[in-house]
Amino acid sequence: MTTSAIPVRVGPDRIRFRVRAVPRASRTEAAGVHGDALRVRLAAPPVDGEANAALTRFLARALGVSRSAVTVAKGASGRSKLVEVLGDVDALRAALARLTADA
């Protein structure tokens, strides 16, 4: 199943998708699609987990869930990440589609 160009794995109460993080950008924003991943520019540096924290805050706000519902499942120390978001699957997929369309 895909949302825009981003493949999404769906569970009963969660979705998983790939993110390509670009730290030390001028601002935090969705920046389109990079291969099979959502590209997200992050204003935070990749030091002491600051970029991952900025990513989870941004995705939580953009997808309409709490910060605790967003986790970096794989790739915490790299630019390519697998993100898991808990919540209503249909609402999350719709929010992710809006996010990729706006980028």
Side-chain angles (χ1 to χ4, degrees):
M1 300 180 149
T2 60
T3 301
S4 294
I6 300 173
V8 176
R9 287 186 232 153
V10 178
D13 62 348
R14 69 193 69 216
I15 63 170
R16 283 183 158 202
F17 57 94
R18 298 204 174 279
V19 171
R20 178 68 176 184
V22 181
R24 294 193 180 170
S26 59
R27 62 182 166 191
T28 298
E29 64 184 352
V33 177
H34 179 86
D36 66 346
L38 172 65
R39 185 172 185 215
V40 179
R41 293 184 183 125
L42 301 166
V47 179
D48 297 329
E50 289 181 41
N52 287 333
L55 177 65
T56 57
R57 277 192 308 272
F58 171 76
L59 289 175
R61 188 172 43 251
L63 300 176
V65 296
S66 67
R67 287 192 337 202
S68 63
V70 181
T71 57
V72 177
K74 289 185 181 179
S77 62
R79 290 180 184 229
S80 295
K81 302 175 185 301
L82 181 64
V83 174
E84 181 174 85
V85 184
L86 302 175
D88 178 74
V89 172
D90 294 330
L92 290 172
R93 291 181 73 187
L96 185 59
R98 284 190 304 273
L99 183 61
T100 58
D102 293 343

